Amino acid sequence: MYEPQPKKNLIMDILDILKRYTDEDHRLSQKEICSILKNEYSMKADRKAVKRNLMNLIDLGYDIEYSESIRKIINKDGEEEESYILSDFYLNRDFTDAELRLLIDGLLFSKHIPYSQCRELIEKIKNLSNIYFKSRVKYITTFPDDKTDNKQLFYNIDIIDEAIRKKKKISFKYLEYGTDKKMHIKKRDDGSERVYIITPYQMAAKEGKYYLICNYDKYNDISNYRIDRIADPKILEEPAKPFESLTGSDGMQLDLNKYMTEHLYMYSSENVNVVLEINKPMVGDVIDMFGKTVRFFDETETSVKVAACVNRMAVEQFAKSFAPDVVVTEPKDLADKIGGDLEKSAEIYRSKGGE
């Protein structure tokens, strides 16, 4: 139960009641608000005081809906007159319950947010709605093992965002898992900790992971790093390297939509024009992965060819994952490499299966 509140807090208590107990499907009368004030806030208030404060909240800009009805009363002079009754008060919210659930699901399916921070964010989202929404989402959860171990994620995002805004390079160390299932700083052959110097361009989420699109200073191409695996980022005084100066940028600034479509698995390699021959049930999967910029041609009853410009390593992984329903036919060197790798895999499986 709430501690007794001073009268000057009445307007804020009423607002709190509207936030906690109301929405379009759950409305309160002035009498019900009075009852909640008494039972939960130890605040006594009559209907006139409640109505006056509700109107004040509306005047202050709060989006409060209510219904209005008319009834006949006898005034102090014994004459009949009309009286307006206000009831069914509820607070219109910035987010619908469906939108809040979508945000929560996004957190649950992400793998780049540490488990404890994910739970904190979900609780904050729950507080944007009322008790009825909280009761509907109390059983949703996620598994700690699916989350990153790096507690620096939000700090990393702040530093990277500031560096992008100031057009500066950053340095960081990079984490990788060991066989002990724990994260360790990546080291050089001599045992010293490896320090990366990069120019950051954009942060993007892909398949539940958060990536930094950047340039590794030693080279002149585009790289991607998992933000949840970055440790100890520091902003440097060196100016950023322009994206349009990099190999593979075609002298253009970063087009994030185009980049994400071409880099299916966020591999860092050159783009290549490919032709795939796919079984027709794979059409939806190809569009999901490559987007609607692909071109279909030479369609038969069972197969169709696809032309696309995508990241070389990504399309190689895609073709291997969906073989034999997906076959790369062009360029020939890529088709030969994939075919050779699949043959080696088949030989290994045959030999292992015979042990």
Side-chain angles (χ1 to χ4, degrees), residues 104-139:
I104 290 175
D105 287 345
L107 289 171
L108 292 173
F109 290 122
S110 69
K111 295 183 178 180
H112 58 272
I113 302 177
Y115 180 67
S116 60
Q117 293 176 333
C118 183
R119 289 182 60 184
E120 291 175 5
L121 286 172
I122 289 174
E123 287 303 313
K124 290 180 180 180
I125 291 175
K126 289 180 183 179
N127 289 333
L128 294 174
S129 190
N130 52 34
I131 60 171
Y132 311 105
F133 176 77
K134 290 180 180 180
S135 67
R136 289 199 298 272
V137 298
K138 66 186 293 185
Y139 299 113

Side-chain angles (χ1 to χ4, degrees), residues 17-78:
I17 289 170
L18 293 176
K19 288 179 177 179
R20 294 177 61 223
Y21 289 104
T22 71
D23 56 34
E24 190 172 3
D25 298 320
H26 303 88
R27 310 181 184 204
L28 292 175
S29 66
Q30 294 176 51
K31 180 180 179 181
E32 289 168 328
I33 293 174
C34 289
S35 177
I36 295 172
L37 283 168
K38 179 181 178 181
N39 295 330
E40 297 189 23
Y41 294 75
S42 298
M43 172 78 76
K44 291 184 178 180
D46 58 26
R47 295 188 189 184
K48 289 183 179 180
V50 168
K51 178 181 176 181
R52 182 173 63 253
N53 281 278
L54 286 166
M55 295 300 104
N56 287 338
L57 286 170
I58 293 172
D59 290 340
L60 288 170
Y62 288 95
D63 190 3
I64 299 170
E65 298 283 351
Y66 58 90
S67 63
E68 189 175 42
S69 59
I70 301 175
R71 69 177 181 181
K72 301 290 185 180
I73 63 169
I74 303 298
N75 63 23
K76 60 182 180 180
D77 298 324

Side-chain angles (χ1 to χ4, degrees), residues 77-88:
D77 298 324
E79 298 174 346
E80 186 179 73
E81 63 179 28
E82 293 181 343
S83 175
Y84 291 87
I85 306 299
L86 308 184
S87 190
D88 298 330

Side-chain angles (χ1 to χ4, degrees), residues 313-324:
M313 290 179 64
V315 74
E316 180 180 334
Q317 180 63 44
F318 179 76
K320 290 177 181 177
S321 299
F322 289 95

Side-chain angles (χ1 to χ4, degrees), residues 46 63 73 94-95 156 158 165 170 175 198 259 284 294:
D46 58 26
D63 190 3
I73 63 169
D94 293 331
F95 297 94
N156 290 348
D158 285 341
R165 180 168 51 85
I170 64 173
L175 302 172
I198 63 98
Y259 186 87
V294 299

